Amino acid sequence: AMGRAGLAWAAALLLAALAAQAAAVGDFDPYRVLGVGRSCSQADIKKAYKRLAREWHPDKNKDPGAEDKFIQISKAYEILSNEEKRANFDRYGDAGESQGYSQHQHRQFHHFHEGFYFDESFFHFPFNSERRDTSDEKYLLHFSHYINEIVPDSFKKPYLIKITSDWCFSCIHIEPVWKEVAQELEALGVGIGVVHAGYERRLAHHLGAHSTPSLLGLINGKITFFHNAVVRENLWQFVENLLPGNLVEKITDKNYIRFLSNWKKENKPHVLLFDHMPVVPLLYKLTAFAYRDYLSFGYVYVGLRGTEELSSQYNINVYTPTMMIFKENIDKPADVVQAREMKKQLIDDFLSQNKFLMVARLTNQKLFQELCPVKKSHRQRKHCVVLLTGEGDKFAEAYEAFLTFAVANTKDTLKFVHIYNDRQPEFADTLLMDDEKYQGKSAVVILERRNTAGKVAYKTLEEAWQGSKEDNFILLDLLDQLRTDPGLLSSETVLADLNDELAPIFLIRWLYSTLDYISDCWDSVFHSNWREMMPLLSLLFSALFILFGTVIVQAFSDSSDTRDSPPSEKEETAAKAEKNDTSFSKESNSRIPKKGFVEVTELTGINYTSNLVRLRPGHMNVVLILSNSTKTALLQKFALEVYTFTGSSSLHFSFLSLDKHREWLEYLLEFAQDAAPIPNQYDKHFLERDYTGYVLALNGHKKYFCLFKPHKSGDEGGTLGSCEDYDSSLHTEGRGKSSCSPRSRSVKNKLHKLSFWMERLLEGSLQRFYIPSWPALD
């Protein structure tokens, strides 16, 4: 009875849990959030989303609940704009990205009713979303939001992102530290993000987070995982390590003049930060990263010896953090701010007002667009006064006069800039139209950008700019007229985009990219992030397998033709055949040999195994049988006959000394009898048979050979060794008399028509004599 009661109690608990979960899933209705019907079209959904997104965007709607409402709207649109997710919701009521979770839940629920059955997957049900920590709600990231906004923003500030999920007890463990660090770092300018892996499975997979909790940093679009203990100090150090190491230069009495004088080379104002902290505070590093495209930063530790001159020169209060901006004049700061506690907002306001020099040089199109924006209305006209000049002392006076004029006439509606004609020739030629009176001189142009396509209205001062008082009065008068008469800019033209003068060359960019990639790979290997490393490891092992596989195959299959043998065992016979040689004139197919000679190696006990027994498949060794007395003559004739066949890499040429290895040859010919008898092998001349001039084509792999025997002139086959008269033109004795004695014919004529036999050998039409195994060559 107690067992049945316990079972019923467990069933009730499970039913309650499932009901609560079903209610939680049913609480979020994307149709209700967007205010559309279930039969609405995609166009209606998109229209409703745009209207609600504009209304509830946190930047426009200051309602405290606007951010939560905007997240719900985005989530609803993400579900309904995807036909698969929408169908899943319509069928199962699944409002999340749990990939069929509700369907699975539905099946488990029915299993439970039918037979009180459940498996361990029941325990993977997520918590109710309302039980998640509300402090993370404002940091929640969605895939489209991450790609379109967070990644581009990571080029201005680093992000610290937490990957979490339901039923993650380790996530609960790190929560107190995460809350504290997230609050502190956000106040300094670090971006904070939270990804719920259960609802944003696609984003979690994109980030490479395969487990929860995971912490990662994002900067310049690059992801770095946090691998240490989750404590405050480690997280701060992790964020600081994300930043480049050369953002802030340490400044002392010895280098401050050099640092501030770099304004001309870098075309940036320079910032000096005075503080009593030995190490550069993270706030300053984050600020330097955010403004690195506009400003250069130096840090002065006022408690350090060697900074007294600096502090005295600029009258610094060593007890109060101070920030100074220097522009063209390094003797006096252009702006100063002091505060007992430097706040991010204070620093941002200060720096945003001092991003440019008084007369900045136009070095790229982006800078030109920022300094000379396109007019938005008649009340917001922005005019640029451009000095087109050159580099060097010759133009220094004109530039200094223009700078003095700019400082004295600074206004919100005017921007003073200059440009080097030789670095931006297309820009200068378009405005000056190659007028000779400006050649080698400076000119001033007043212009207004009309659109983003490059159209500008402008007016050029009639005379070259020399910086005289008269030039100053003329320019001042034109600017006064411009306030009341915008039509003063009567000329119009289209400017091409400016060259990026400060862009690094391709090789340096490639080097930096390579170093970043190597660093990422090393980090992945070091921290055993094998999932991310699998493509690289697969490629690496494939390359190694191919490399070593090729080497091993070549090592085992290499013919010993390439192995050195004693010099006395190798003969190289020149194959300089005469044009009237019959063997060449009768060739049906011409071949071009690889070498100018025939390389013939003696077959000995040293190279016998590699040159025959282990010869590669498809390769043959053509062996000439000779004696010491016939060696020279036969080798010369052999070379002439086979010369045109040396172009084939599958043929190898050797000779065998009959004086040394007669038994091997007789043993070979004897073993070949059973399979295919050799004609006239055992006749009355067997014991004293002269084998000189025999040629054997040995196929070591398939264990067979083809045989060439000296033949009579009428035998075209070349395999019958009858001793009959040869053509009278080919020998000098026995002209009308037959003789079976080798003395009756010339030694060289023994190899007559060997070339024809070689042709048939390559055609595969010769008779083959198979043997069970190759005999030893003793």
Side-chain angles (χ1 to χ4, degrees):
M2 288 184 65
R4 286 196 299 272
L7 200 60
W9 179 74
L13 280 179
L14 287 173
L15 281 172
L18 289 172
Q21 181 61 48
V25 172
D27 285 344
F28 183 80
D29 185 352
Y31 292 103
R32 187 177 70 247
V33 172
L34 293 183
V36 295
R38 288 181 176 268
S39 59
C40 63
S41 65
Q42 283 294 332
D44 296 332
I45 292 171
K46 192 172 185 179
K47 185 176 179 181
Y49 168 71
K50 286 184 175 180
R51 175 177 55 81
L52 291 171
R54 280 195 298 267
E55 178 184 352
W56 290 98
H57 196 285
D59 292 343
K60 297 182 178 180
N61 194 322
K62 301 305 179 184
D63 189 294
E67 192 166 0
D68 291 338
K69 180 69 174 176
F70 183 75
I71 291 174
Q72 286 189 344
I73 292 167
S74 300
K75 185 67 178 177
Y77 178 68
E78 187 177 353
I79 294 172
L80 298 184
S81 62
N82 186 305
E83 291 297 343
E84 184 179 348
K85 292 181 181 179
R86 183 180 179 182
N88 197 43
F89 177 82
D90 292 341
R91 189 174 303 165
Y92 305 113
D94 183 10
E97 288 188 40
S98 52
Q99 295 184 346
Y101 151 71
S102 293
Q103 181 181 4
H104 180 69
Q105 180 194 41
H106 185 72
R107 288 198 304 267
Q108 292 286 12
F109 189 76
H110 278 284
H111 282 310
F112 174 79
H113 275 291
E114 292 168 3
F116 194 67
Y117 166 80
F118 64 93
D119 60 18
E120 62 179 4
S121 62
F122 169 80
F123 296 102
H124 293 166
F125 283 136
F127 281 114
N128 188 333
S129 59
E130 293 180 358
R131 294 171 63 182
R132 292 202 304 265
D133 196 328
T134 55
S135 65
D136 283 346
E137 292 292 337
K138 64 177 181 177
Y139 302 128
L140 285 176
L141 301 180
H142 305 294
F143 186 81
S144 57
H145 174 59
Y146 171 83
I147 295 296
N148 298 324
E149 296 184 35
I150 302 301
V151 172
D153 199 41
S154 70
F155 288 84
K156 299 176 183 177
K157 64 181 180 182
Y159 274 80
L160 183 64
I161 299 175
K162 177 181 73 171
I163 315 293
T164 186
S165 64
D166 292 320
W167 285 101
C168 172
F169 296 103
S170 297
C171 301
I172 300 171
H173 179 72
I174 69 170
E175 202 60 33
V177 178
W178 166 260
K179 281 184 183 179
E180 178 189 3
V181 173
Q183 261 185 342
E184 293 174 343
L185 293 178
E186 188 178 27
L188 299 180
V190 177
I192 305 297
V194 175
V195 177
H196 195 285
Y199 294 92
E200 289 294 335
R201 195 180 300 269
R202 181 184 177 190
L203 178 54
H205 180 74
H206 174 80
L207 295 174
H210 304 292
S211 62
T212 55
S214 291
L215 296 176
L216 58 89
L218 172 70
I219 190 168
N220 291 332
K222 175 187 172 184
I223 294 170
T224 304
F225 276 85
F226 175 78
H227 298 287
N228 296 325
V230 182
V231 295
R232 180 182 180 278
E233 292 74 16
N234 288 347
L235 287 172
W236 273 66
Q237 189 61 48
F238 173 68
V239 171
E240 193 161 354
N241 290 341
L242 292 175
L243 298 167
N246 57 349
L247 288 172
V248 183
E249 185 177 349
K250 294 288 185 70
I251 304 299
T252 63
D253 294 342
K254 295 180 180 180
N255 63 355
Y256 80 96
I257 294 178
R258 176 195 57 78
F259 173 74
L260 296 178
S261 299
N262 278 340
W263 67 266
K264 193 165 190 177
K265 178 183 177 182
E266 298 177 4
N267 195 37
K268 295 177 182 179
H270 281 55
V271 183
L272 280 183
L273 308 163
F274 295 84
D275 208 334
H276 56 274
M277 302 292 291
V279 181
V280 182
L282 180 58
L283 173 61
Y284 292 158
K285 289 186 178 181
L286 291 168
T287 302
F289 180 76
Y291 290 91
R292 69 190 184 282
D293 291 336
Y294 302 98
L295 303 163
S296 291
F297 290 81
Y299 181 74
V300 182
Y301 170 35
V302 293
L304 180 70
R305 285 186 179 182
T307 60
E308 295 87 358
E309 181 183 334
L310 257 173
S311 302
S312 174
Q313 171 79 12
Y314 301 115
N315 195 23
I316 300 298
N317 181 354
V318 296
Y319 300 105
T320 305
T322 305
M323 186 175 291
M324 290 184 171
I325 287 189
F326 295 82
K327 297 186 178 180
E328 286 88 348
N329 184 7
I330 68 172
D331 296 327
K332 182 181 178 181
D335 208 349
V336 181
V337 63
Q338 283 187 329
R340 288 188 176 276
E341 188 177 358
M342 284 286 184
K343 296 286 187 181
K344 180 181 182 300
Q345 189 61 48
L346 174 67
I347 295 175
D348 285 343
D349 292 341
F350 176 69
L351 296 180
S352 60
Q353 296 171 8
N354 294 282
K355 289 165 60 176
F356 305 106
L357 295 169
M358 298 301 296
V359 183
R361 181 161 64 91
L362 299 181
T363 55
N364 55 59
Q365 186 66 17
K366 179 185 175 184
L367 188 58
F368 180 41
Q369 291 171 349
E370 289 193 69
L371 288 169
C372 306
V374 176
K375 68 172 184 177
K376 296 181 180 179
S377 67
H378 291 293
R379 294 182 180 180
Q380 296 180 339
R381 287 183 177 275
K382 298 284 186 181
H383 295 102
C384 265
V385 185
V386 186
L387 172 69
L388 294 96
T389 185
E391 299 180 71
D393 297 336
K394 177 183 176 182
F395 302 94
E397 186 178 347
Y399 169 77
E400 292 295 339
F402 187 76
L403 174 60
T404 303
F405 183 91
V407 173
N409 294 277
T410 301
K411 296 177 182 177
D412 290 339
T413 57
L414 289 177
K415 288 291 183 183
F416 292 87
V417 298
H418 73 286
I419 196 168
Y420 288 153
N421 295 344
D422 56 341
R423 298 198 184 188
Q424 303 290 346
E426 195 171 355
F427 185 93
D429 293 344
T430 304
L431 292 177
L432 301 181
M433 295 182 292
D434 293 330
D435 199 327
E436 292 184 1
K437 64 183 176 183
Y438 300 115
Q439 294 295 328
K441 297 180 181 179
S442 301
V444 172
V445 176
I446 306 171
L447 63 81
E448 178 186 24
R449 292 180 65 228
R450 292 294 171 85
N451 60 32
T452 56
K455 184 178 180 181
V456 296
Y458 70 99
K459 181 176 179 59
T460 306
L461 266 66
E462 293 183 2
E463 298 299 329
W465 174 268
Q466 297 177 344
S468 63
K469 287 186 179 181
E470 185 179 355
D471 290 341
N472 278 265
F473 283 129
I474 293 173
L475 180 56
L476 186 61
D477 184 52
L478 284 175
L479 294 176
D480 286 339
Q481 293 180 45
L482 192 61
R483 286 187 299 175
T484 57
D485 183 18
L488 184 68
L489 307 181
S490 55
S491 302
E492 289 190 350
T493 188
V494 176
L495 295 173
D497 288 354
L498 273 71
N499 305 323
D500 191 351
E501 299 177 16
L502 304 179
I505 62 175
F506 170 78
L507 185 61
I508 294 177
R509 294 200 305 269
W510 179 85
L511 180 61
Y512 284 151
S513 301
T514 304
L515 290 175
D516 286 342
Y517 184 72
I518 293 173
S519 175
D520 292 343
C521 293
W522 175 254
D523 183 66
S524 297
V525 171
F526 185 75
H527 294 290
S528 301
N529 191 4
W530 299 111
R531 293 196 188 197
E532 297 300 316
M533 287 296 295
M534 281 307 294
L536 180 64
L537 292 174
S538 176
L539 179 63
L540 180 62
F541 281 114
S542 298
L544 291 174
F545 177 79
I546 293 171
L547 177 63
F548 286 104
T550 305
V551 172
I552 291 169
V553 168
Q554 288 182 346
F556 278 97
S557 62
D558 191 13
S559 171
S560 68
D561 286 349
T562 60
R563 300 177 189 175
D564 293 335
S565 59
S568 61
E569 297 176 1
K570 180 179 291 187
E571 298 285 344
E572 293 183 357
T573 306
K576 298 176 181 178
E578 298 177 2
K579 292 183 179 179
N580 61 352
D581 190 279
T582 55
S583 64
F584 281 89
S585 63
K586 295 180 181 180
E587 282 294 331
S588 59
N589 296 322
S590 62
R591 293 181 178 85
I592 301 175
K594 290 183 178 180
K595 305 174 183 178
F597 57 87
V598 180
E599 186 176 293
V600 185
T601 305
E602 182 177 4
L603 198 62
T604 66
I606 297 175
N607 59 18
Y608 176 70
T609 300
S610 58
N611 276 18
L612 176 60
V613 179
R614 291 184 180 176
L615 203 60
R616 279 175 285 181
H619 287 241
M620 299 188 77
N621 196 342
V622 181
V623 180
L624 168 66
I625 308 299
L626 49 75
S627 62
N628 290 336
S629 60
T630 60
K631 182 176 181 180
T632 303
L634 284 179
L635 278 176
Q636 289 179 356
K637 182 62 175 177
F638 182 71
L640 288 171
E641 292 287 329
V642 302
Y643 176 64
T644 53
F645 299 92
T646 56
S648 174
S649 61
S650 61
L651 291 180
H652 308 276
F653 300 98
S654 303
F655 68 89
L656 182 79
S657 174
L658 195 61
D659 301 319
K660 299 178 184 177
H661 305 293
R662 181 184 182 93
E663 291 183 5
W664 177 85
L665 179 61
E666 291 178 344
Y667 184 83
L668 187 69
L669 298 176
E670 180 183 353
F671 264 90
Q673 294 307 300
D674 295 336
I678 298 175
N680 305 319
Q681 174 62 25
Y682 292 102
D683 56 15
K684 61 181 180 179
H685 305 290
F686 170 65
L687 294 177
E688 65 274 5
R689 183 179 298 278
D690 181 14
Y691 291 109
T692 57
Y694 277 50
V695 178
L696 288 80
L698 308 171
N699 189 317
H701 180 69
K702 291 188 176 181
K703 297 185 180 65
Y704 72 81
F705 64 89
C706 299
L707 178 64
F708 172 87
K709 295 167 60 178
H711 58 284
K712 62 182 180 179
S713 60
D715 182 11
E716 296 295 333
T719 57
L720 297 177
S722 332
C723 295
E724 298 191 15
D725 288 339
Y726 281 77
D727 192 331
S728 60
S729 63
L730 298 178
H731 57 83
T732 58
E733 58 179 302
R735 185 180 297 266
K737 182 180 177 181
S738 296
S739 175
C740 287
S741 171
R743 300 187 185 92
S744 66
R745 62 181 183 269
S746 171
V747 173
K748 283 190 177 182
N749 288 334
K750 287 189 172 188
L751 298 180
H752 180 54
K753 295 187 179 180
L754 176 63
S755 59
F756 285 98
W757 182 83
M758 291 292 297
E759 286 283 355
R760 294 182 59 189
L761 174 68
L762 294 180
E763 291 171 0
S765 59
L766 291 177
Q767 184 179 8
R768 298 177 179 180
F769 302 103
Y770 287 87
I771 61 170
S773 62
W774 294 111
L777 187 68
D778 296 329

